[in-house]
Amino acid sequence: MPRTRLDFRFERSRRSRNGGPQQYGVSICCGGILGLGEIWRDRVKMAFAVRELDVDGIPLNVLLPVRGTPLEHLPVMEVADVAKSSAIFRLVNPAKMLKFAAGRETTMKDFQGLLMLAGMNSMITGGYLTTRGRSIAEDRAFLASLNCFISAGSGGQMQ
């Protein structure tokens, strides 16, 4: 049975205290899965924990409860809650690349653009670990339709 409160503990290894792979130009991502039964406080704690790690990218996934798995009984997150969670991560991590991944096609459906307005500035396209995503061509068309929302401050670029 999944926990209703998530516990985030990050221990830095000797290697990460000394700069880790970032000192060699390696880009580091660390994010998480939303919708595991956590509460809002847990999401805020996760946003700050990721900020403390000082990673380059923060991929956020939304749980897709799959039949036959231990988490099949969990409800699908509401669209508004996914957008609010994205906004929290953006406020806590203003200069980081926020990537939306699993759940954007199934949970967000026609509201994927809302995530961009809430602070996401990147996406993972194609397939995920357990589900198929949209094709690169579909995602390019999606980004083109959002072009009017890209701010001049971003240099007109989304990744």
Side-chain angles (χ1 to χ4, degrees):
M1 181 162 204
R3 296 176 288 182
T4 56
R5 298 181 135 214
L6 299 180
D7 190 15
F8 300 99
R9 294 186 182 120
F10 292 93
E11 296 180 22
R12 294 182 182 252
S13 68
R14 179 177 49 84
R15 183 182 300 171
S16 66
R17 282 194 299 271
N18 294 328
Q22 288 168 314
Q23 69 183 336
Y24 302 106
V26 175
S27 180
I28 305 294
C29 288
C30 178
I33 303 171
L34 304 172
L36 294 173
E38 71 277 3
I39 61 173
W40 284 104
R41 177 180 285 174
D42 296 324
R43 293 176 192 156
V44 172
K45 284 171 64 175
M46 185 169 118
F48 278 100
V50 172
R51 181 176 79 174
E52 184 180 317
L53 293 173
D54 193 28
V55 296
D56 303 306
I58 304 169
L60 293 178
N61 299 273
V62 177
L63 177 71
L64 306 170
V66 176
R67 191 177 349 176
T69 66
L71 304 178
E72 69 181 339
H73 69 283
L74 291 177
V76 175
M77 277 184 79
E78 296 290 329
V79 168
D81 289 344
V82 177
K84 289 176 195 175
S85 298
S86 301
I88 288 169
F89 274 81
R90 171 54 60 215
L91 289 169
V92 174
N93 299 282
K96 301 301 179 181
M97 187 65 62
L98 287 184
K99 305 176 181 201
F100 57 103
R104 63 186 180 94
E105 295 93 348
T106 53
T107 302
M108 296 306 290
K109 297 180 178 118
D110 291 338
F111 294 100
Q112 290 183 53
L114 184 60
L115 294 180
M116 298 304 230
L117 296 174
M120 292 286 187
N121 57 351
S122 180
M123 70 171 83
I124 296 174
T125 189
Y128 310 112
L129 292 175
T130 59
T131 60
R132 283 185 44 195
R134 295 193 316 188
S135 71
I136 293 172
E138 289 172 305
D139 280 333
R140 284 181 191 235
F142 166 66
L143 290 175
S145 72
L146 293 177
N147 195 36
C148 62
F149 294 108
I150 299 174
S151 70
S154 70
Q157 298 292 316
M158 270 204 251
Q159 299 184 3

